[in-house]
């Protein structure tokens, strides 16, 4: 795991977008794993900026999202289907047959989960998976005690997660669906590269636990410590409780791998 600290959420989002763009330029048919949540707004804005500037083309990519609420139809404005269409897919011309999210309306959710795993496999697996970090330490909707080997399945959301996502549902946590279909921790770990983006001081404690704490099913993001190719991009606010922050800063400032990004003040 490599952890990169950037000054603001915007810098962090731009750096993550630039890392994705570089991979897509090398492989225009890349399979991209997408995430949702307010942290991702800035990442998708940064990707759209690159597309509009003519330096990136995403039309050849295939995408798979981490999760979707159970019981929300794709045209519901609060669904992740709607979020992805309006935040990314329509803005970069990604055709709907190339984009995939689990169907939270499926009559048989177990069959839907198994089918989702199947289409990921058929696409050759996920090359780059974007993830955010929930306040409970979840990645996707893998709430505490999710098996670190879990696959796509239905999961009950914690009261904390429903509170965290209430803003998207008019403010009342009781209006947030209580269940979701989510890729499992094992599904996420199968991605060849993982990029986790975490911003804001309200995430500082859980970020420190997720990256520097012991691996535990109580915090599914700790499983990323086992991933051979995971980069965590954070802003100063989220970094404020990291014990190893001096070393992480040194990595970005000194390691040759990050040299091409260092020269650009917008990153
Ligand atoms: C939801 C999503 C997660 C995301 C989390 C963080 O719970 N299922 O994938 O990481 O929100 O949300 P935010 O970026 O709004 O803090």
């Amino acid at each position: 795991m490599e952890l990169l600290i950037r000054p603001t959420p915007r810098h962090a989002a731009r750096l993550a977008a630039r890392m994705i763009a570089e991979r897509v330029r090398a492989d225009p048919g890349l399979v991209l794993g997408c995430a949702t949540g307010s942290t991702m707004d800035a990442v998708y804005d940064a990707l759209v900026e690159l597309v509009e500037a003519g330096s990136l083309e995403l039309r050849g990519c295939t995408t798979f999202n981490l999760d979707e609420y159970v019981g929300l139809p794709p045209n519901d404005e609060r669904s992740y289907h709607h979020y992805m269409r309006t935040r990314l897919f329509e803005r970069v011309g990604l055709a709907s047959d190339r984009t995939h999210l689990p169907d939270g309306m499926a009559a048989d959710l177990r069959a839907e989960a198994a089918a989702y795993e199947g289409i990921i496999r058929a696409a050759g697996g996920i090359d780059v998976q974007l993830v955010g970090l929930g306040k409970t330490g979840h990645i996707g909707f893998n709430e505490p005690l999710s098996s670190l080997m879990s696959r796509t399945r239905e999961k009950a959301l914690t009261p904390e997660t429903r509170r965290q996502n209430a803003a998207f549902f008019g403010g009342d946590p009781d209006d947030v669906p209580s269940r979701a279909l989510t890729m499992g921790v094992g599904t996420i770990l199968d991605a060849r590269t993982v990029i986790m983006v975490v911003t804001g001081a309200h995430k500082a404690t859980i970020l420190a636990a997720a990256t520097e704490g012991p691996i535990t099913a109580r915090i599914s993001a700790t499983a990323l410590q086992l991933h051979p190719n995971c980069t965590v991009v954070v802003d100063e606010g989220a970094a404020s409780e990291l014990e190893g922050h001096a070393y992480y800063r040194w990595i970005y400032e000194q390691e040759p791998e990050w040299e091409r990004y260092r020269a650009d003040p917008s990153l």
Side-chain angles (χ1 to χ4, degrees):
M1 175 179 280
E2 201 126 75
L3 197 148
L4 308 176
I5 304 172
R6 308 310 308 133
T8 68
R10 226 170 128 78
H11 287 86
R14 283 207 179 121
L15 179 57
R18 199 66 75 84
M19 289 165 62
I20 293 168
E22 208 165 86
R23 293 288 303 272
V24 175
R25 285 184 204 116
D27 174 11
L30 185 109
V31 179
L32 179 65
C34 293
T36 47
S38 45
T39 311
M40 294 301 144
D41 291 354
V43 178
Y44 296 140
D45 284 349
L47 279 175
V48 170
E49 265 174 40
L50 293 172
V51 170
E52 287 176 349
S55 70
L56 174 66
E57 177 62 81
L58 287 173
R59 286 171 204 265
C61 291
T62 298
T63 70
F64 288 94
N65 265 78
L66 289 169
D67 45 21
E68 178 59 286
Y69 292 107
V70 168
L72 287 191
N75 56 1
D76 188 307
E77 290 192 357
R78 302 160 305 175
S79 71
Y80 286 161
H81 279 79
H82 183 267
Y83 176 98
M84 290 308 302
R85 267 198 316 274
T86 53
R87 294 277 171 188
L88 185 67
F89 302 156
E90 286 173 355
R91 298 166 79 196
V92 299
L94 252 169
S96 56
D97 60 346
R98 290 189 167 277
T99 65
H100 306 87
L101 289 94
D103 177 7
M105 294 297 285
D108 183 343
L109 292 169
R110 266 171 179 265
E112 169 61 16
Y116 199 63
E117 290 276 338
I119 49 173
I120 294 172
R121 260 196 316 275
I126 293 170
D127 292 308
V128 179
Q129 176 68 57
L130 250 180
V131 299
L133 177 65
K135 289 280 286 294
T136 61
H138 68 209
I139 46 177
F141 269 132
N142 291 287
E143 298 287 40
L145 304 194
S146 286
S147 158
L148 301 186
M149 296 176 78
S150 51
R151 312 302 304 185
T152 303
R153 71 219 181 288
E154 188 184 2
K155 202 64 203 158
L157 304 183
T158 60
E160 164 93 64
T161 293
R162 294 175 78 201
R163 264 195 305 279
Q164 192 196 335
N165 291 349
F168 296 100
F169 290 81
D172 185 351
D174 289 340
D175 290 339
V176 179
S178 57
R179 311 183 80 78
L181 269 184
T182 180
M183 280 187 200
V185 181
T187 320
I188 296 168
L189 290 179
D190 281 352
R192 288 181 267 278
T193 297
V194 176
I195 301 174
M196 179 158 79
V197 184
V198 186
T199 56
H202 63 297
K203 297 271 181 79
T205 305
I206 194 65
L207 174 71
T211 55
E212 295 181 326
I215 296 174
T216 168
R218 287 189 70 178
I219 301 174
S220 64
T222 59
L224 295 175
Q225 296 174 30
L226 295 168
H227 195 282
N229 194 6
C230 174
T231 305
V232 184
V233 186
V234 310
D235 73 332
E236 286 288 354
S240 55
E241 291 183 29
L242 292 171
E243 276 180 22
H245 68 93
Y247 171 65
Y248 313 142
R249 285 178 216 281
W250 183 89
I251 293 280
Y252 189 74
E253 297 310 328
Q254 303 297 330
E255 282 288 89
E257 188 184 353
W258 306 109
E259 192 173 351
R260 62 195 182 285
Y261 300 110
R262 284 199 288 272
D264 185 337
S266 75
L267 307 178

